[in-house]
Amino acid sequence: MMPRLSIVIPTRRLGDDLRARLPSIAKAFPQAEVFIVEPDDLETDPASPALPAGVSRLRGPRGRGTQINRGVLAATGELLMLLHDDTDLPPGAASAIESAFADPRIAMTCFRLRFDRPHWLLATYGWFSGFDSVWTTFGDQAMVVRRSVLDAVGGLPDWPLYEDVELARRVRRVGRISKLLLAVTTSSVRYQTNGIVRQQLANGLAITRFLLGASPWRLAAEYEGCRPAPPAGGSK
C-alpha cells in the first residue's frame, strides 16, 4: 500500500482552470490531502466557491518555493507531491508512484513531460525528460519526494525560481531519482506566446546562468516578473 500522500499546489491565484483539475486529482488520489497555496498578498474573495473535501486553501509569502514550503509545513504525508497548477496527471499515476516507492532506494520520483500542444520540438523536449539530469528534471514533472528525504536534505529552498532544480541536486546526494514511464501534461502557453525555439533558448540561457551562480531572485525578476530581492532571512 502506498504511504500517505500530501499534494502541494502553489498558484498565483486559485482560478477556474485549477478548480476544474481538482476532481481528477481527488479521483486519482482519493486518500491524499491537497493543499492549494496562494500568495498571502492577494485580496480575499468572499464569494469564492467551496472546495472539495480533502482540499485546503492556504496562503504563504509570494514565490513558488515559499508557497510550497507553506504547504509542506501543513502536510502530514510520508510522500509529498509538488504539483504545478497547470499540470494534468495521467491515468495510473497512483499505482506508478506506489510501485516506484516500493524500492527503498528511491528518494524521489517524477513523471515524464508532455505538452498540451502537438509539435515535434515539444515532443523532443518531452522525450529528453525521461532522463534525470539538471537539464531534464523540473517541477512541472510533478516531483514526489519522501518526507524523510526532504527533511534530511534541509528542505526546499525559499526561492521564486529553480527551487525544483536545487531540490533535485540535494536529493541526488542522498538517494536515487527515478523517472516514471507515464507522462504528465503541462501547458504550452508560454511556448505559443513567445515561440518554441525562442522560449527554449531563453530557458536554456536562464538555467545556465543559474548553474553558474546567478541569483534565483534576479532570474525570476527577468523571467517570471517576480520581485528580485530575497525575502528577509534569505533561503533555506
Side-chain angles (χ1 to χ4, degrees):
M1 182 175 295
M2 186 167 70
R4 178 169 171 78
L5 176 70
S6 300
I7 302 174
V8 178
I9 309 174
T11 185
R12 289 184 176 91
R13 181 183 294 274
L14 175 54
D16 293 340
D17 287 349
L18 178 52
R19 285 185 183 277
R21 287 184 169 90
L22 293 178
S24 63
I25 294 172
K27 183 178 180 180
F29 301 98
Q31 304 303 319
E33 56 184 9
V34 180
F35 297 95
I36 297 170
V37 190
E38 296 176 303
D40 58 11
D41 55 3
L42 283 182
E43 293 185 7
T44 302
D45 181 6
S48 181
L51 294 173
V55 179
S56 301
R57 190 175 185 179
L58 305 174
R59 296 211 166 182
R62 182 178 290 274
R64 199 163 60 201
T66 48
Q67 288 174 233
I68 290 174
N69 278 327
R70 176 64 183 90
V72 168
L73 185 63
T76 63
E78 299 168 63
L79 299 178
L80 298 165
M81 177 186 286
L82 313 179
L83 181 64
H84 286 194
D85 64 356
D86 60 354
T87 296
D88 290 313
L89 297 167
S95 59
I97 292 171
E98 181 179 353
S99 295
F101 284 106
D103 184 344
R105 297 171 299 175
I106 299 302
M108 185 168 81
T109 191
C110 63
F111 295 86
R112 299 170 189 232
L113 194 62
R114 178 185 295 120
F115 290 90
D116 60 4
R117 175 191 175 188
H119 191 284
W120 71 271
L121 276 175
L122 295 178
T124 300
Y125 177 41
W127 182 82
F128 277 106
S129 72
F131 303 94
D132 176 47
S133 74
V134 295
W135 302 98
T136 56
T137 299
F138 297 100
D140 53 7
Q141 295 167 240
M143 292 175 164
V144 186
V145 61
R146 295 185 192 271
R147 180 64 177 257
S148 58
V149 170
L150 186 66
D151 292 342
V153 301
L156 187 84
D158 282 326
W159 297 351
L161 193 64
Y162 295 131
E163 81 296 331
D164 47 358
V165 176
E166 177 61 20
L167 173 61
R169 288 204 296 192
R170 295 180 184 184
V171 169
R172 290 186 191 101
R173 296 170 189 154
V174 300
R176 287 177 51 191
I177 298 176
S178 71
K179 289 296 184 84
L180 302 174
L181 295 178
L182 300 176
V184 296
T185 302
T186 194
S187 172
S188 60
V189 64
R190 190 183 291 274
Y191 290 90
Q192 295 179 50
T193 301
N194 300 330
I196 295 174
V197 174
R198 181 182 299 175
Q199 183 60 51
Q200 193 59 25
L201 288 173
N203 292 345
L205 176 60
I207 192 170
T208 299
R209 291 172 61 198
F210 167 72
L211 294 173
L212 291 174
S215 161
W217 291 275
R218 179 174 297 279
L219 292 171
E222 298 171 3
Y223 187 67
E224 296 284 357
C226 299
R227 292 169 294 185
S235 64
K236 286 189 176 182

